[in-house]
Amino acid sequence: MEKPADTQYPIHDLLRRRWSPRAFAERMVEPEKLRSLFEAARWAPSCFNAQPWRFVIATRDVSAEHERLLNCLVEGNRAWAHRVPVLILSVAKLTFDDGSPNRHAWHDVGLAVENLIVQATAFGLAVHQMAGFDAGKARTEVKLPDGFEPVAMIAVGYPGDPSMLPEKLHQKELASRARKPSRDFVFAGDWGKPAPLISR
């Protein structure tokens, strides 16, 4: 199902097409496509080229690993994510190699994930990021060492039929997309001062 954004200004079609569905087909994602997703993530920019992103992947064909990540999700996400063929935990390395804090680590993990998402969209895959998971449980389940922090859970797969979702989620799936206008978050020089280049 496609839900391209109704943009105020022209943007790349991959960005217009990207959205976060909950209806996923059970079809497995080809290994070569998964490799390309992580290759796209690999080439994201990062502070001092520290590349603080790490990913723990679980595919449904290795059911024990998939179940462990699935069980870290809150109940509302488990209601649809059990069909997803690929679950990924994104992780941030919180320090540089010299041990000093990297306060941009989470930002850089987000950049890497966005690269992954855009590449997935180019392949016709769907991606849904989730904050609704138990970070402490995820840390234990994947045996995260000190200095690394769970960031988000990510579902990856082919788009599915929205009618398979519970009614409340089905309605969300079909609802139109909305965003704040650019004038609400683009300022000129000072906080809250409207930017003349943004007309609406």
Side-chain angles (χ1 to χ4, degrees), residues 176-196:
S176 59
R177 299 171 61 193
R179 285 292 187 278
K180 296 175 183 178
S182 303
R183 66 172 179 268
D184 286 2
F185 59 83
V186 181
F187 308 133
D190 296 310
W191 186 264
K193 179 182 174 185

Side-chain angles (χ1 to χ4, degrees), residues 47-170:
C47 181
F48 294 119
N49 198 27
Q51 303 163 52
W53 46 80
R54 303 292 187 274
F55 299 98
V56 179
I57 182 172
T59 57
R60 213 177 48 246
D61 55 349
V62 184
S63 59
E65 294 176 359
H66 189 270
E67 195 72 17
R68 284 206 330 257
L69 285 189
L70 181 68
N71 287 333
C72 293
L73 297 174
V74 298
E75 184 178 348
N77 285 330
R78 284 198 310 273
W80 58 267
H82 65 277
R83 289 191 177 89
V84 177
V86 181
L87 292 174
I88 301 168
L89 176 67
S90 62
V91 176
K93 182 177 185 287
L94 300 180
T95 59
F96 292 108
D97 288 344
D98 66 2
S100 62
N102 180 357
R103 76 180 193 90
H104 300 291
W106 284 53
H107 172 272
D108 293 351
V109 171
L111 290 172
V113 171
E114 181 66 4
N115 270 22
L116 182 154
I117 290 170
V118 171
Q119 184 62 57
T121 304
F123 284 150
L125 295 168
V127 179
H128 188 114
Q129 298 176 83
M130 295 168 276
F133 74 104
D134 185 328
K137 185 173 183 178
R139 169 182 293 285
T140 301
E141 288 290 350
V142 304
K143 303 177 178 65
L144 276 190
D146 291 342
F148 292 82
E149 189 67 27
V151 177
M153 202 74 83
I154 306 166
V156 180
Y158 285 96
D161 180 357
S163 68
M164 70 177 67
L165 295 169
E167 182 57 28
K168 185 176 179 181
L169 295 180
H170 182 213

